[in-house]
Amino acid sequence: MASAQNHVQYSSKIGIIGAGISGIAAAKQLRHYDPLVFEATNSIGGVWKHCSFNSTKLQTPRCDFEFSDYPWPERDDASFPSHVELLDYLHGYAVHFDVLKYIKFNSKVVEIRHLGDRDTARVSDTAGEYGSLLKGHPVWEVAVETNQAIQWYGFELLVMCIGKFGDIPRMPAFPANKGEEIFGGKVLHSMDYSKLDKEAATELLEGKKVAIIGYRKSAIDLAVECAEANQAMYNGDKDFTLDSSIIQDMGIALFLILFNKVFSISPSEAKLRLPQDLPLFHIITHDHPFEEDYASCQMAILPENFFSEAEKGNILFKRASKWWFWSGGIEFEDKSKLEADVVLLATGYDGKKKLQSILPKPFSSLLADSSGIMPLYRGTIHPLIPNMAFVGYIETVSNLQIAEIRCKWLARLADQKFKLPAVEKMLEQTTKEVEIMKQTTRFFKRHCISTFSINHRDEICEEMGWKSWRKNNWISEAFMPYSSQDYQEAKY
């Protein structure tokens, strides 16, 4: 698309791609550099705005999913906020800190170029230093399409906040003559379903037999929405799923168990150890331990009406690892057939392909290491990609909370408050974390650090020069859960 005639029309120190939770957090922490934020759509919110259903809610209470300096209204409300409430909260945060002025809406990044010799020594030699984030001259050129016109921008630092979800759906592959082309009904990915308004969704589902392929949060939410309109088949029994009322009513709150320093582990420990007498009821049939889903950020909180709809027979379950289409619905590996009018694919997204599609070579080939995971030091810096940061790609139980502290770390790194270790040392750190994830869960490629998230934040604090023990006394440190408010700057 681009040619040699293209030239930079505007330069700035920092560019941010994406205005979801991570992009807004990055813009706020880096606002003293007057960053430019490119958002492809007309609103902030990312997947919460563009990939949510009517039933989509947070999987945590308000107090566990908030910025350190902007508490939720009624933050002690134990219910889980809807995606609409979350978007209102995020908009309030952006307005309060005057972040919206940095955002260029309806501005899609279509190409990125690296200037100079592409720092080939960085790619081949891991013994050197990473260097400063801000070089004093543009390092990256970014082509942005707005109103069908292309404009080029130059940046010293580029912060990627486009996330792992949305935009590029992961679609299943089928044997010859067994794909959706032979099916007489309607097939939609959950991303396309989320774009339907209420009237269109009702028209799609009403009076129809609906089959849902998937087993994570999107599939569960879809199952309830479809069941409330019609009977639905839900193909999902691989992950632990917990009733939200059980989580709220447990004698020992789950977050008290999982988010304090007594029960946290460090990357030197191999296994997550949970008390064996947790009253976790209503668990759907599974083929692996609860710890593995927690360790891979796949533990889903069920919508309120899930079990009541299942008990009424409006949600049916089928365990199947292989399936394909026939003219009247879907067929499973045991040769059984299911009639369906509509098939919804809650099969996830290809976040790696989304990044690779806009990063230039050789950097696009460096995104994942030999284990298939992006090696990000402190969850933010790829040691082999210069002057670029990534926020929102390594998961934990509260992605907002971890995004904010990583952005604080990134801002101080840009301010040269501390230096990064040598490239080799950063790669050693990321390799060690991957090995721990491999020992903790077979689903390590999801790149979730929930089993050592407190230790991860401790190391970030220490590198910034903050105290890693954030509370006022050792009893609170040992037994009280950590929240974003423990990481306020006034406490460092």
Side-chain angles (χ1 to χ4, degrees), residues 371-428:
S371 66
I373 292 180
M374 195 188 321
L376 294 180
Y377 180 74
R378 302 297 183 233
T380 309
I381 295 294
H382 193 307
L384 301 179
I385 301 180
N387 303 91
M388 182 174 285
F390 301 81
V391 184
Y393 294 90
I394 299 181
E395 294 183 77
T396 186
V397 175
S398 178
N399 289 325
L400 182 150
Q401 191 179 117
I402 203 70
E404 182 188 33
I405 193 169
R406 285 172 181 160
C407 289
K408 290 181 177 182
W409 177 89
L410 178 64
R412 282 153 184 76
L413 179 61
D415 294 344
Q416 297 187 314
K417 298 289 181 64
F418 62 93
K419 290 182 61 177
L420 290 172
V423 170
E424 182 179 20
K425 293 295 183 183
M426 289 194 287
L427 289 172
E428 287 177 2

Side-chain angles (χ1 to χ4, degrees), residues 34 75 83 91 98 165 173 190 195 213-214 223 240 260 276 285 292 337 344 350 383 391 419 449 457:
D34 291 324
R75 68 184 303 270
H83 72 282
H91 185 267
D98 200 18
F165 308 108
S190 59
K195 292 175 169 51
I213 306 298
F240 274 92
N260 62 54
Q276 297 302 305
T285 305
E292 285 204 62
K337 290 185 176 181
L344 299 178
D350 196 332
V391 184
K419 290 182 61 177
I449 64 164
R457 284 174 283 182

Side-chain angles (χ1 to χ4, degrees), residues 61 89 154 196 297 327 420 449:
Y89 170 76
L196 300 178
C297 297
S327 60
L420 290 172
I449 64 164

Side-chain angles (χ1 to χ4, degrees), residues 26-313:
K28 191 262 187 178
Q29 297 300 328
L30 294 163
R31 65 191 188 279
H32 53 296
Y33 289 106
D34 291 324
L36 274 180
V37 183
F38 300 112
E39 170 53 46
T41 71
N42 62 359
S43 59
I44 65 173
V47 293
W48 287 100
K49 175 67 176 179
H50 304 292
C51 296
S52 294
F53 317 132
N54 290 331
S55 60
T56 302
K57 290 187 175 183
L58 270 178
Q59 302 232 75
T60 56
R62 290 164 173 78
C63 60
D64 293 326
F65 204 90
E66 67 180 357
F67 293 104
S68 61
D69 51 4
Y70 191 76
W72 277 84
E74 302 178 358
R75 68 184 303 270
D76 295 328
D77 184 342
S79 65
F80 298 159
S82 69
H83 72 282
V84 175
E85 291 175 296
L86 176 60
L87 289 171
D88 287 343
Y89 170 76
L90 185 62
H91 185 267
Y93 175 84
V95 170
H96 181 77
F97 290 105
D98 200 18
V99 170
L100 295 176
K101 67 182 180 183
Y102 303 118
I103 304 174
K104 293 179 71 67
F105 291 105
N106 299 307
S107 298
K108 182 180 181 180
V109 173
V110 294
E111 186 177 352
I112 298 174
R113 292 175 175 177
H114 184 258
L115 300 177
D117 62 0
R118 300 186 303 178
D119 203 357
T120 52
R122 174 76 51 79
V123 176
S124 59
D125 180 12
T126 63
E129 299 294 325
Y130 184 90
S132 62
L133 289 184
L134 301 176
K135 299 289 190 183
H137 58 81
V139 176
W140 297 99
E141 289 182 343
V142 179
V144 180
E145 182 178 8
T146 306
N147 297 324
Q148 299 183 325
I150 302 294
Q151 187 168 17
W152 284 85
Y153 297 80
F155 298 104
E156 298 178 38
L157 169 65
L158 203 54
V159 186
M160 305 296 291
C161 299
I162 59 176
K164 299 195 296 185
F165 308 108
D167 296 327
I168 300 181
R170 181 178 286 113
M171 302 298 288
F174 302 102
N177 301 317
K178 292 186 176 181
E180 64 178 275
E181 69 278 358
I182 67 168
F183 175 52
K186 185 79 171 177
V187 180
L188 264 77
H189 190 274
S190 59
M191 181 180 75
D192 300 311
Y193 176 84
S194 69
K195 292 175 169 51
L196 300 178
D197 58 28
K198 188 174 182 179
E199 182 179 347
T202 300
E203 182 180 350
L204 174 71
L205 302 176
E206 196 168 37
K208 309 287 177 52
K209 294 179 181 178
V210 183
I212 300 165
I213 306 298
Y215 59 91
R216 295 177 186 155
K217 180 60 174 169
S218 292
I220 295 167
D221 287 345
L222 277 175
V224 172
E225 288 201 12
C226 295
E228 289 176 344
N230 304 284
Q231 182 177 352
M233 169 65 76
Y234 166 59
N235 175 25
D237 60 352
K238 294 183 179 180
D239 288 340
F240 274 92
T241 48
L242 308 179
D243 187 350
S244 62
S245 63
I246 296 299
I247 294 294
Q248 292 167 17
D249 297 339
M250 284 165 56
I252 301 176
L254 188 64
F255 64 85
L256 285 175
I257 296 295
L258 299 179
F259 305 116
N260 62 54
K261 292 206 172 183
V262 167
F263 291 102
S264 69
I265 67 171
S266 71
S268 62
E269 299 179 75
K271 288 285 185 179
L272 170 68
R273 296 186 299 275
L274 292 177
Q276 297 302 305
D277 58 348
L278 282 178
L280 303 179
F281 304 111
H282 296 309
I283 297 177
I284 290 179
T285 305
H286 58 91
D287 60 2
H288 53 268
F290 167 81
E291 298 98 302
E292 285 204 62
D293 273 341
Y294 175 72
S296 56
C297 297
Q298 294 188 106
M299 187 182 73
I301 306 300
L302 295 176
E304 293 176 2
N305 297 332
F306 186 88
F307 288 112
S308 62
E309 293 295 337
E311 288 169 358
K312 289 186 291 187

